[in-house]
Amino acid sequence: MQAWFVEHAAPLQAAGPIGELLYSRILDSLNTRPHLLLAQSPRSAGERVMQTPRLRQEFLDHLHELPADYQVAFHDSARGQPDGWPRTSDGRPWEVDHVDELWTGGADAGPNLLALPPGLHRQDNPRRGPRGLDLSKTGILEDFRNAFRDALEVEGESVDIREADE
């Protein structure tokens, strides 16, 4: 799994300090988790999860723990915004994302949150790379899910792909 991620997500590293941090945090998670369960998204299952205002506050409470170059990028993009929240040059707000996705068992808590520019986060403004691949985090993780969970042809249940891969 780590080799797949390194190969497919390496372009995140070219996205500056934000992409580098995202890449390293996902890789660290893959390298340190004893199990990786791929399940239905809690949001899709109707479970309660934090909404945007609370996600933002949880993230801000932990911003000081992130690398200095990420903090600089965050604050530079927030400069001049009336609400103090970063936006892209065309005015789209950054999105708070779960580094370890909820559907992989990630926590709905501050240390697992990272604010990302929308084009780096999700597919509605994909960064296209070689062979037309979607290089947003959402696109890379969707490919990951397809390569591992869906390849096991399991529907409606959680799958520990480390056990299935053995």
Side-chain angles (χ1 to χ4, degrees):
M1 289 180 301
Q2 289 88 346
W4 185 97
F5 180 78
V6 167
E7 178 184 341
H8 290 82
L12 290 176
Q13 294 178 300
I18 300 163
E20 291 171 7
L21 178 61
L22 176 61
Y23 175 87
S24 68
R25 287 189 63 188
I26 293 172
L27 191 57
D28 286 348
S29 174
L30 287 174
N31 288 330
T32 59
R33 292 174 86 171
H35 302 285
L36 183 61
L37 297 176
L38 302 184
Q40 181 181 15
S41 164
R43 284 190 178 97
S44 299
E47 296 177 26
R48 292 184 52 87
V49 294
M50 282 193 285
Q51 299 302 311
T52 300
R54 178 116 185 266
L55 284 169
R56 282 185 179 185
Q57 188 56 56
E58 284 282 324
F59 166 76
L60 289 171
D61 289 347
H62 293 273
L63 177 59
H64 68 279
E65 299 168 4
L66 296 172
D69 55 349
Y70 174 88
Q71 291 182 46
V72 167
F74 179 89
H75 290 299
D76 284 350
S77 294
R79 188 172 294 117
Q81 300 301 329
D83 61 357
W85 191 255
R87 285 181 168 58
T88 61
S89 59
D90 62 355
R92 292 179 301 141
W94 284 23
E95 301 166 351
V96 179
D97 181 48
H98 295 86
V99 174
D100 288 328
E101 294 291 338
L102 299 175
W103 54 265
T104 66
D108 197 19
N112 187 38
L113 301 174
L114 192 61
L116 301 172
L120 186 60
H121 178 220
R122 59 189 156 96
Q123 294 172 328
D124 71 341
N125 183 25
R127 296 173 50 240
R128 298 284 174 189
R131 302 181 307 269
L133 297 175
D134 178 353
L135 301 180
S136 69
K137 178 186 182 241
T138 303
I140 291 166
L141 291 182
E142 182 65 26
D143 290 346
F144 179 84
R145 184 179 181 98
N146 291 338
F148 290 93
R149 183 181 192 274
D150 294 351
L152 299 172
E153 298 180 6
V154 176
E155 294 184 26
E157 32 183 293
S158 297
V159 176
D160 183 341
I161 62 173
R162 291 181 193 242
E163 290 176 9
D165 199 34
E166 293 175 352

